[in-house]
Amino acid sequence: MRDYLLTLCVTAAVTYLLTGPVRKFAIATGAMPEIRARDVHREPTPRLGGIAMFFGLCAGLLVADHLQNLNSVFDQSNEPRALLSGAALIWLIGVLDDKFELDALIKLGAQMISAGVMVAQGLTILWLPIPGVGTVALTQGQGTLLTVALVVLTINAVNFVDGLDGLAAGMVCIATGAFFLYAYRLWYGYTIEAAAPATLFAAILMGMCLGFLPHNMHPARIFMGDSGSMLIGLILAASAISITGQVDPDTLKIFEGSTRQATHAALPVFIPLILPLTIIAIPMTDLVLAIVRRTWKGQSPFAADRGHLHHRLLEIGHSHSRAVLIMYFWSALIAFGTLAYSVHSTSMWIVLAITVLSALGLVLLLLPRFSPRAPRWAEAVVPPRYRRRKPAPEPEPGPAREASAEERPPVPAGLNGSTAIGHRSRFSDRRKAGTPS
């Protein structure tokens, strides 16, 4: 565990320290696109944050290769090299997209090629565990198609949810934390060496997200861009492929006895085998809804709009920070709830806790729909927005009424808000600044 924590800290430190220089580089090269209709931010913000994250990935793999307890991952498996090859390709395409805005079909083709590069080097799904049936071996063609599909879906799901400051990095970090605990449990608890690469990938991915988040929290100073979102999506998919399609479920001895007994015994272990799919449940739901919504309107599935889940939270009335925290909450509930159920599937307390937290999440989600008002005796201790509004006083009749619209002085063009009344001196005594009193 200490070696994994050291790898995580080195990855986070390298990513954090490089993000500042990368921001200056993005500004110098003009990687600051104009504000689009679907954007939430109000000022042009530099992208290319994925550059720092990629070098954090390289640093994490380099450190792990020189650690005694993790060096065996590189000696016994080719998966780290396969991950680095696919990550380098998808990162390069993301950098070009952040600068030149590549076509969506070009990026889709690059995602498939990156997945194919990893498959060619051995990072592919070999079999699927099915409760009650056992281990189903896949042919080379089936494994390749399933691997490519999982990589493309995961990359685009993470890319779709990257719409608010700190949202994608935080959600992936929370979900990967749950995945790391499960992968480490397989490797350390069941002594399954095949789970070691996935554990390493999860630790490095957490370090990349943690190192980038301080620069990306609202208000963000830099965005990860497609170079970052596609990169972390590919690493998340690689972790899922490594733990689901590479670890033989027969080594866990969960498919013994009758079919009914085997299904019951496999349930808590089988659910976390699809944990990578549950930890991106929210981004995947957003992806599916976006495709259905755009196709129903006769648009391309790749057409951008403001109908994503985070946009809807803002429309309901949540602030930017609260919308991000709500998405964090649901990601943690799904990921860690699945992990807890896999460990103690017979405990009703876990089911009860998940139910209560889900109800709490729904209340927080719909809170802006209600306008709670505190009783009059508590108005002095609650924020103004919870106090009862006092009716405006009626204007007195007579010639002292406010001037009509025709009599009001014209408002200078280009002014609004507090400046609409015209120029006001900053000094009440109308003396120039710096004059003696």
Side-chain angles (χ1 to χ4, degrees):
M1 178 62 75
R2 288 181 297 179
D3 290 344
Y4 285 118
L5 292 179
L6 176 60
T7 303
L8 185 152
C9 292
V10 170
T11 304
V14 172
T15 304
Y16 176 79
L17 294 175
L18 288 181
T19 303
V22 167
R23 180 178 181 273
K24 296 180 180 179
F25 172 76
I27 296 175
T29 56
M32 299 176 60
E34 298 295 332
I35 306 297
R36 299 163 297 185
R38 69 178 186 271
D39 291 334
V40 178
H41 58 283
R42 293 292 178 262
E43 297 180 359
T45 306
R47 295 183 181 180
L48 295 178
I51 295 179
M53 304 178 80
F54 177 75
F55 282 105
L57 167 66
C58 296
L61 291 175
L62 182 63
V63 169
D65 190 21
H66 288 79
L67 294 177
Q68 182 178 1
N69 294 330
L70 299 182
N71 180 262
S72 59
V73 176
F74 297 83
D75 295 336
Q76 301 176 6
S77 174
N78 198 43
E79 293 182 18
R81 299 175 185 85
L83 171 67
L84 185 59
S85 301
L89 179 58
I90 200 66
W91 168 76
L92 180 60
I93 296 299
V95 170
L96 294 177
D97 179 68
D98 290 341
K99 173 59 180 175
F100 302 107
E101 294 285 346
L102 301 180
D103 186 76
L105 293 179
I106 296 178
K107 292 190 292 184
L108 181 61
Q111 295 167 9
M112 294 181 178
I113 295 175
S114 301
V117 169
M118 293 193 300
V119 170
Q121 300 186 57
L123 186 55
T124 182
I125 298 177
L126 302 177
W127 46 67
L128 288 178
I130 300 179
V133 177
T135 303
V136 177
L138 301 178
T139 64
Q140 183 177 1
Q142 292 172 342
T144 300
L145 290 177
L146 190 57
T147 301
V148 172
L150 182 59
V151 170
V152 171
L153 286 175
T154 306
I155 289 176
N156 286 280
V158 175
N159 193 19
F160 272 44
V161 82
D162 184 24
L164 298 179
D165 298 349
L167 181 58
M171 289 181 63
V172 171
C173 184
I174 292 172
T176 307
F179 180 74
F180 171 80
L181 295 177
Y182 170 69
Y184 183 79
R185 178 170 173 260
L186 282 185
W187 175 77
Y188 185 77
Y190 290 91
T191 64
I192 299 177
E193 294 293 336
T199 311
L200 176 61
F201 298 163
I204 292 177
L205 182 55
M206 277 195 297
M208 295 166 58
C209 296
L210 289 175
F212 184 72
L213 268 175
H215 300 272
N216 190 233
M217 294 301 292
H218 183 70
R221 302 179 68 247
I222 186 175
F223 294 151
M224 68 172 65
D226 283 1
S227 59
S229 61
M230 292 197 299
L231 176 63
I232 63 177
L234 182 134
I235 300 175
L236 186 61
S239 304
I241 294 167
S242 178
I243 202 72
T244 304
Q246 298 280 321
V247 175
D248 188 357
D250 290 339
T251 59
L252 302 177
K253 298 180 180 180
I254 59 176
F255 295 129
E256 296 181 352
S258 65
T259 301
R260 182 176 180 180
Q261 293 174 347
T263 303
H264 179 73
L267 185 60
V269 183
F270 175 77
I271 289 180
L273 289 177
I274 58 173
L275 183 62
L277 298 179
T278 64
I279 62 180
I280 60 170
I282 295 179
M284 195 68 69
T285 302
D286 194 13
L287 173 63
V288 174
L289 291 177
I291 294 176
V292 173
R293 179 177 65 253
R294 295 166 184 174
T295 305
W296 183 265
K297 294 180 180 179
Q299 300 175 348
S300 169
F302 303 102
D305 58 14
R306 288 181 60 89
H308 294 292
L309 295 178
H310 50 271
H311 289 140
R312 296 181 182 273
L313 289 176
L314 296 178
E315 292 175 358
I316 289 176
H318 292 287
S319 64
H320 191 293
S321 300
R322 189 162 56 185
V324 172
L325 292 177
I326 288 176
M327 298 286 279
Y328 284 178
F329 173 83
W330 283 105
S331 295
L333 179 61
I334 294 174
F336 285 95
T338 304
L339 178 66
Y341 183 75
S342 70
V343 178
H344 299 288
S345 61
T346 58
S347 176
M348 290 301 299
W349 288 106
I350 295 178
V351 179
L352 180 61
I354 294 175
T355 304
V356 172
L357 291 175
S358 299
L360 177 62
L362 289 176
V363 172
L364 295 176
L365 183 65
L366 301 176
L367 189 59
R369 292 295 187 184
F370 306 97
S371 298
R373 293 292 179 263
R376 296 191 180 279
W377 58 267
E379 288 185 353
V381 295
V382 297
R385 63 178 178 271
Y386 298 121
R387 301 172 186 171
R388 300 178 186 274
R389 293 186 178 91
K390 297 180 180 179
E394 292 289 338
E396 298 182 2
R401 285 190 176 184
E402 189 177 351
S404 62
E406 294 79 4
E407 300 174 351
R408 293 175 184 171
V411 178
L415 298 178
N416 56 68
S418 61
T419 63
I421 60 176
H423 174 74
R424 291 189 299 180
S425 174
R426 296 173 55 192
F427 304 94
S428 58
D429 57 359
R430 299 185 180 180
R431 285 193 295 266
K432 294 183 180 180
T435 58
S437 57

